[in-house]
Amino acid sequence: MSKIVLIGYMGSGKSTIARLLSEKLQLNSFDLDYVIEEKEGLTISNIFKDKGEVYFRKSETQHLTSFLQQQKSYILSLGGGTPCYGNNMELLKQNGIITIYLKASINELYNRLETEKSKRPLLANKTNEEMKDFIAKHLFERNVFYNQSKLIVSVDGKAPEHIVNEIFKLLV
Ligand code: S3P
């Protein structure tokens, strides 16, 4: 039984790596953001807009908890904030779950997120200037949680296939 959970800041490549790893390991992959969207019947952006971040964080914890109870083997990619709220990181330290932090630098994240911030409610109305400062502070706060992952893989400048091979070697 394999339970693999991908952790990392927005733009660190969690969804892409989950898809490739799922092909390589022949395991189903899930994305907690999509699970939430499906169950709530709203996009993440609209949940933030209509119901607010506090509601989103509560429902994120609920959906994470029930996902971890139901599924046997999986690859799950989390939202960037998931490990940092409530008791989520403690839930993720349960026996049998392998958490992997996809670690990217501030510059790498800034370059990746600059062109796709509109999909992310926490970044959507920031100027590019503001974004770099925001990422730096936010990552500093969140690293306390991310660094509690079982495995840490640096992703800067690496092709997704390379990252997946690195993870594969750490898992076998
Ligand atoms: C968030 C990251 C998003 C999504 C929501 C909040 C965050 O997921 O869960 O917008 O707090 O970092 P991605 O990391 O998949 O963009």
Side-chain angles (χ1 to χ4, degrees):
M1 193 162 59
S2 306
K3 297 177 172 192
I4 297 169
V5 177
L6 299 180
I7 285 176
Y9 199 74
M10 294 174 271
S12 58
K14 300 177 295 279
S15 308
T16 307
I17 300 302
R19 188 171 39 79
L20 294 174
L21 202 56
S22 132
E23 285 163 18
K24 186 144 182 133
L25 299 177
Q26 295 293 301
L27 276 178
N28 284 331
S29 87
F30 301 86
D31 186 317
L32 188 65
D33 279 347
Y34 294 145
V35 173
I36 297 171
E37 289 185 337
E38 205 173 277
K39 301 263 175 178
E40 299 282 330
L42 284 172
T43 62
I44 300 294
S45 295
N46 282 335
I47 299 175
F48 268 76
K49 210 165 355 122
D50 299 351
K51 305 192 167 187
E53 184 173 355
V54 173
Y55 177 90
F56 173 75
R57 295 303 172 193
K58 281 189 189 151
S59 78
E60 185 177 43
T61 297
Q62 274 163 12
H63 294 303
L64 174 69
T65 307
S66 55
F67 184 93
L68 297 180
Q69 281 163 358
Q70 283 166 32
Q71 304 286 337
K72 294 216 167 84
S73 282
Y74 54 80
I75 297 167
L76 175 67
S77 58
L78 302 181
T82 317
C84 317
Y85 290 87
N87 62 340
N88 298 354
M89 197 62 210
E90 293 310 311
L91 291 176
L92 293 162
K93 287 184 189 167
Q94 285 172 64
N95 274 348
I97 298 179
I98 303 169
T99 44
I100 306 176
Y101 172 24
L102 302 180
K103 187 175 177 135
S105 66
I106 298 162
N107 278 341
E108 179 90 16
L109 292 170
Y110 173 78
N111 291 334
R112 293 183 187 196
L113 288 166
E114 203 186 354
T115 51
E116 45 166 279
K117 60 182 180 184
S118 63
K119 286 177 263 163
R120 280 142 167 135
L122 293 176
L123 302 175
N125 43 29
K126 303 227 170 340
T127 64
N128 287 351
E129 289 273 287
E130 290 167 337
M131 223 172 79
K132 202 159 189 172
D133 266 6
F134 178 82
I135 294 172
K137 286 190 195 131
H138 213 197
L139 190 61
F140 178 76
E141 291 161 7
R142 289 184 165 187
N143 262 333
V144 177
F145 297 94
Y146 295 162
N147 282 325
Q148 295 176 41
S149 302
K150 287 211 173 76
L151 302 174
I152 299 179
V153 174
S154 292
V155 300
D156 278 18
K158 293 178 186 165
E161 293 72 18
H162 180 112
I163 298 165
V164 167
N165 283 335
E166 238 181 80
I167 294 175
F168 185 72
K169 284 188 201 140
L170 292 171
L171 292 174
V172 289

